Amino acid sequence: MTPERYRDVRVLLTGHTGFKGAWLAAWLLAEGAEVMGLALAPEPGRPSLFEELDLARRIESRFVDIRDAEAVQAAVAAFRPQVVFHLAAQALVRRSYADPLATFAVNVMGTAHVLEAARRTDSVRAVVCVTSDKCYDNREWVWGYRETDPLGGKDPYSASKAAAEIVAASYRQALVPGDRLRLATARGGNVIGGGDWSEDRLVPDLVRAIRAGTPLVLRKPGAVRPWQHVLELLHGYLLLGARLLDGDARAAGAWNFGPARSGEVAVGRLVEAALAAWGGDPIPVRIEPSAVAEAGILKLDTAKAEAGLAWRPLLDFARTVQLTMDWYRGHDADPAAARFLVETQIAGYRRLAAGDEDSARP
């Protein structure tokens, strides 16, 4: 992917007020894209990377609930994007147990609403629909899941992401005009990076515990997850979107984006590495078994993306953790530095992707 590919391209980004969405908006702006965001407004009283990056002023931003099909259709038709990145979602596993109906409504019907609006808007050439590594029928395998493995999901969140994959496949195979619009889905691992302030996520919980001087509560310290920096995943989205924009029919379909093998580590090891990267005195950790079922091991096979998109993970586990904690430590020292920290890390990663091996080194 060259920076020029998104220059002056009209990009619709759903979920731009979320963690990954805010980072992607910032990257697209760095590439020279014209961006419109479609999402719920940030929750009042909570930290928000969207607000810290001043995105409301820098892009066209519409606060729309993707469960409202008419509002989604009106916004897409008015903006007339060329490419759609669909990230808006209810993204928390434990919240899905508390409110399964909202989770299914947002992740399944919300996805259908976005895809239907793209289908009805003749300017749209490409759609990247983001789901999750949890869309697979988890057999607790020690090897990575491939795009051809069965979909499934025992908890409502995982099931909703598997269902979103089926919805997207139906649109791709039966509903969208393939000569005009290319559609792909992107399945990523456990994403970490600066600016994530979500509830019930490991790194934000750790940072909050450090600040408050309270114990960090872990549910399954031995659970293995594919940890990757947010920029790794967004790089995959952008490469995939560029191929779709160029009309490459081979890019349509499902794609995994996961970390290098070094990033497939247990929760407890990530905590140790993050605390070491932060520095200072250690904090106490308390184990409280989860009241809901959670996977013990989950890995992704990324051979398809490496061969088909020339994408590969560029950051090892140590770099991933260091970049993440550098952001939070820098933000802790100066909360006004959020935009500088994001843009600096994006610039470093772009240089790394262009072949400068030292650009993202901590």
Side-chain angles (χ1 to χ4, degrees):
M1 181 187 72
T2 61
E4 290 76 20
R5 187 62 194 89
Y6 286 95
R7 190 174 304 283
D8 299 325
V9 171
R10 295 172 67 82
V11 180
L12 173 70
L13 169 59
T14 74
H16 69 297
T17 58
F19 160 56
K20 286 193 296 183
W23 273 92
L24 184 53
W27 193 336
L28 285 164
L29 287 172
E31 301 287 0
E34 183 180 349
V35 184
M36 183 179 85
L38 201 67
L40 295 177
E43 294 185 43
R46 287 182 173 270
S48 166
L49 186 61
F50 165 80
E51 293 177 341
E52 291 183 312
L53 297 181
D54 196 22
L55 289 174
R57 187 181 61 81
R58 300 166 63 203
I59 67 174
E60 183 178 345
S61 180
R62 296 199 183 189
F63 297 144
V64 170
D65 190 328
I66 62 169
R67 290 173 291 186
D68 185 339
E70 292 185 2
V72 172
Q73 174 61 49
V76 176
F79 184 64
R80 294 189 56 77
Q82 294 160 272
V83 58
V84 175
F85 289 98
H86 174 45
L87 277 67
Q90 193 301 94
L92 299 173
V93 172
R94 295 218 295 175
R95 185 183 289 184
S96 78
Y97 279 94
D99 197 348
L101 292 182
T103 299
F104 287 120
V106 172
N107 294 353
V108 184
M109 288 309 300
T111 294
H113 295 160
V114 172
L115 296 182
E116 181 65 12
R119 181 172 82 102
R120 293 185 178 188
T121 306
D122 62 11
S123 62
V124 180
R125 297 288 181 265
V127 177
V128 175
C129 180
V130 173
T131 62
S132 169
D133 58 347
K134 294 178 180 62
C135 70
Y136 291 106
D137 181 13
N138 193 336
R139 313 283 180 86
E140 301 289 336
W141 286 334
V142 296
W143 54 86
Y145 291 93
R146 296 172 296 181
E147 290 86 350
T148 53
D149 284 327
L151 301 173
K154 298 178 181 64
D155 62 88
Y157 170 76
S158 301
S160 74
K161 287 300 187 177
E165 284 280 350
I166 293 171
V167 168
S170 175
Y171 267 87
R172 182 174 63 249
Q173 295 166 7
L175 294 172
V176 299
D179 57 338
R180 189 262 290 177
L181 192 161
R182 309 290 185 188
L183 168 61
T185 58
R187 306 165 180 177
N190 284 52
V191 180
I192 63 175
D196 186 359
W197 303 111
S198 302
E199 63 182 78
D200 205 25
R201 280 195 186 146
L202 182 56
V203 172
D205 284 349
L206 173 61
V207 173
R208 284 187 284 264
I210 292 171
R211 287 175 166 177
T214 56
L216 171 66
V217 177
L218 297 181
R219 299 189 299 272
K220 295 186 73 169
V224 175
R225 297 287 185 268
W227 306 102
Q228 62 191 138
H229 194 274
V230 61
L231 291 173
E232 298 269 61
L233 194 53
L234 300 186
H235 186 215
Y237 297 170
L238 291 170
L239 285 172
L240 182 54
R243 290 290 184 90
L244 296 168
L245 272 173
D246 288 339
D248 186 349
R250 296 168 299 177
W255 299 84
N256 285 341
F257 299 101
R261 297 284 80 89
S262 68
E264 296 170 348
V265 305
V267 167
R269 184 181 164 200
L270 173 62
V271 170
E272 292 173 357
L275 286 171
W278 181 276
D281 296 331
I283 64 170
V285 174
R286 188 171 71 242
I287 309 301
E288 293 184 1
S290 178
V292 300
E294 295 186 73
I297 186 169
L298 183 58
K299 300 180 180 182
L300 291 175
D301 185 315
T302 60
K304 179 181 176 183
E306 292 176 34
L309 297 175
W311 175 92
R312 63 182 177 87
L314 301 176
L315 304 173
D316 62 16
F317 178 67
R319 278 178 162 185
T320 295
V321 174
Q322 190 69 56
L323 282 171
T324 299
M325 301 313 290
D326 282 351
W327 193 99
Y328 283 106
R329 195 170 55 247
H331 182 272
D332 202 55
D334 180 9
R339 178 173 170 180
F340 170 79
L341 292 165
V342 165
E343 292 178 349
T344 297
Q345 290 193 355
I346 288 172
Y349 191 91
R350 291 173 76 200
R351 292 193 299 271
L352 183 66
D356 180 355
E357 290 295 327
D358 293 324
S359 293
R361 193 173 301 280

